[in-house]
Amino acid sequence: MAESISRSLRDGCMEGEHAPALTIEDSLASSLGSSVFDHFLANLVSQIAAGKSQARGLVLVAFNRSPAFYLELLRRKGVDAQHVDKRVRILDCYSDPLGWKKRVPPLKTAQNLPVKANVACFSDARDTNKLMASILDLGKEFVGQDKSRFAVAIDLVSSLLRYTSLPIVAGLVNKLRSNDQTSCIVWLIHSDLHEQRVSAALAYVSTMVASIQPIAQCTDEQTSQQNSVWLGKNSDKAKLHVRLKRRNGRVKLLAEELHLDQVGVKFTAVGDQNSNAAKSLLPKVQFNLQLSEQERVERAKVVLPYEHQGNGEEIQIYDGRRSLSDSISISQPSVASPVISDTQVAPGIGEIHYVRDSDDEQPDSDEDPDDDLDI
């Protein structure tokens, strides 16, 4: 399943389509969202550096962690430093998101750290139009004048929602997806910090939603001490539920278990997840929707009205003018006699007979029928 997400981000989009978008959402009960984001980010950068991705480069919008952290992360993941300097641009919204450092004079004892060439500072997180323009300007360094594309990653949308409203953030994401130079876009959100409509709105503009949930749920009766122990034991394990939207409109549900170790995130397949996910979509009712083997046998024995089972005999079709028993007993149609008495007709049975007298003669064809008419 993780390979399917990485493949979709690597392949990008076709001409005239919106770029694929991945939403990673976690909560306090399972706070591995940042580790999962780092996994897909490093994998995507590796594909870009190897020339296997549609994107020529990646623009990382850093709200949650410093640019130095991501540069060190990519180095630990085995990405060459030259490829990072050439293929990665970081928009630093972490150091000074509101421009306070520009207004307050720095301390004399403060040391000015050197700024990397592939890092650009941004100090107006409230203005999403400037943010959009800054992302596109950094992306143009990869694409130039041709039809190449670049990828976009936002490490935490929850931080952006602190400075602006949901419709503006959703509009920013939608503009990035519909841009002709965007190959794919990834972002992380802490779902328990917002209302349900926030997660629903971001999931609506996404083609992939990866929800990180705990393996076991805590009950309300547990004490706070038991909850803290439970969280400590399960902080490195979780279950990843993924919803994939395909181009034909179909939705695929997948699930995997993930484990965090010293190297990174490891994914493990879970058996029969598709069937369990499908069963969870069924309405919860008080009766059984499935048939037992005995019920299937009894249902097969039922002869439906349209199934004319002759049982080896000639099939008689009921004509509607006599009773069913009479129509079965009569094998050949009877020839009507010229005169039928009332005693020969069984009571309760109505029949229509056409009687012709033997004395009647047909008029000759040579005679004109108008000769017998009185004028």
Side-chain angles (χ1 to χ4, degrees):
M1 180 188 62
E3 289 78 6
S4 300
I5 297 177
S6 300
R7 190 183 309 112
S8 179
L9 297 176
R10 179 199 64 190
D11 297 341
C13 61
M14 299 177 64
E15 189 69 25
E17 291 184 346
H18 286 188
L22 170 63
T23 297
I24 304 173
E25 55 182 19
D26 67 348
S27 62
L28 182 61
S30 183
S31 56
L32 298 179
S34 298
S35 300
V36 175
F37 177 85
D38 296 342
H39 171 81
F40 289 113
L41 175 67
N43 185 274
L44 181 59
V45 174
S46 300
Q47 297 289 341
I48 294 174
K52 299 179 180 179
S53 176
Q54 183 190 46
R56 299 288 300 275
L58 180 136
V59 177
L60 173 60
V61 184
F63 279 99
N64 190 36
R65 292 174 291 191
S66 65
F69 172 85
Y70 289 107
L71 295 176
E72 178 64 19
L73 171 68
L74 296 177
R75 186 191 66 81
R76 288 189 287 106
K77 293 295 184 180
V79 183
D80 188 80
Q82 295 181 356
H83 291 298
V84 173
D85 295 338
K86 185 179 180 180
R87 299 298 181 185
V88 177
R89 297 292 180 268
I90 301 177
L91 187 62
D92 184 10
C93 301
Y94 171 82
S95 302
D96 190 18
L98 299 178
W100 290 351
K101 294 183 179 180
K102 293 182 178 180
R103 302 177 184 180
V104 179
L107 298 177
K108 295 181 180 180
T109 58
Q111 297 180 357
N112 295 326
L113 299 177
V115 180
K116 295 286 185 178
N118 59 342
V119 177
C121 296
F122 187 78
S123 57
D124 194 1
R126 293 191 181 96
D127 194 341
T128 56
N129 292 328
K130 290 183 179 180
L131 181 61
M132 177 75 176
S134 300
I135 295 174
L136 295 180
D137 290 341
L138 293 177
K140 289 180 181 179
E141 299 181 12
F142 306 116
V143 300
Q145 300 298 329
D146 55 3
K147 294 184 178 181
S148 302
R149 296 175 181 265
F150 64 91
V152 180
I154 305 176
D155 64 351
L156 190 60
V157 176
S158 298
S159 297
L160 181 59
L161 288 170
R162 295 169 55 189
Y163 310 121
T164 185
S165 62
L166 173 62
I168 296 178
V169 173
L172 171 65
V173 172
N174 203 28
K175 289 179 182 178
L176 288 174
R177 284 196 61 206
S178 59
N179 191 276
D180 294 337
Q181 296 178 336
T182 305
S183 174
C184 63
I185 180 170
V186 187
W187 63 80
L188 170 67
I189 181 174
H190 298 322
S191 58
D192 55 345
L193 298 181
H194 312 281
E195 299 178 0
Q196 181 64 30
R197 64 186 183 91
V198 176
S199 299
L202 293 177
Y204 179 78
V205 297
S206 304
T207 57
M208 299 171 288
V209 179
S211 178
I212 304 172
Q213 300 178 6
I215 296 179
Q217 299 291 338
C218 287
T219 60
D220 296 336
E221 298 178 357
Q222 290 178 309
T223 61
S224 59
Q225 182 178 1
Q226 291 174 338
N227 288 335
S228 61
V229 173
W230 178 84
L231 290 173
K233 291 181 179 180
N234 297 275
S235 58
D236 58 346
K237 296 180 180 180
K239 186 173 291 186
L240 187 66
H241 295 270
V242 178
R243 182 165 59 91
L244 303 176
K245 298 179 184 177
R246 299 191 177 276
R247 287 186 174 95
N248 56 6
R250 298 182 61 183
V251 177
K252 188 176 182 180
L253 302 177
L254 301 172
E256 282 185 350
E257 290 184 359
L258 61 91
H259 174 72
L260 180 63
D261 54 14
Q262 296 180 355
V263 178
V265 177
K266 302 295 183 181
F267 296 94
T268 305
V270 181
D272 299 333
Q273 288 298 330
N274 291 334
S275 59
N276 294 335
K279 290 180 180 178
S280 63
L281 298 177
L282 294 176
K284 297 181 179 180
V285 295
Q286 300 297 328
F287 52 88
N288 187 15
L289 297 178
Q290 303 295 331
L291 294 178
S292 63
E293 186 64 26
Q294 181 65 24
E295 290 173 340
R296 292 191 184 96
V297 173
E298 296 296 334
R299 184 181 64 177
K301 294 180 180 179
V302 177
V303 179
L304 299 179
Y306 58 85
E307 295 178 345
H308 301 290
Q309 310 289 342
N311 295 327
E313 301 177 358
E314 183 181 359
I315 300 175
Q316 300 292 335
I317 300 178
Y318 176 52
D319 60 2
R321 293 179 295 176
R322 57 174 60 88
S323 64
L324 182 59
S325 59
D326 293 340
S327 63
I328 295 177
S329 61
I330 301 174
S331 59
Q332 295 182 354
S334 59
V335 180
S337 58
V339 180
I340 297 179
S341 62
D342 295 339
T343 58
Q344 296 178 349
V345 181
I349 299 179
E351 296 182 356
I352 301 176
H353 299 274
Y354 298 92
V355 181
R356 183 183 301 276
D357 294 338
S358 59
D359 297 339
D360 295 342
E361 295 181 355
Q362 294 291 340
D364 297 334
S365 58
D366 298 336
E367 296 179 0
D368 189 357
D370 295 338
D371 293 346
D372 296 339
L373 298 177
D374 295 333
I375 300 177

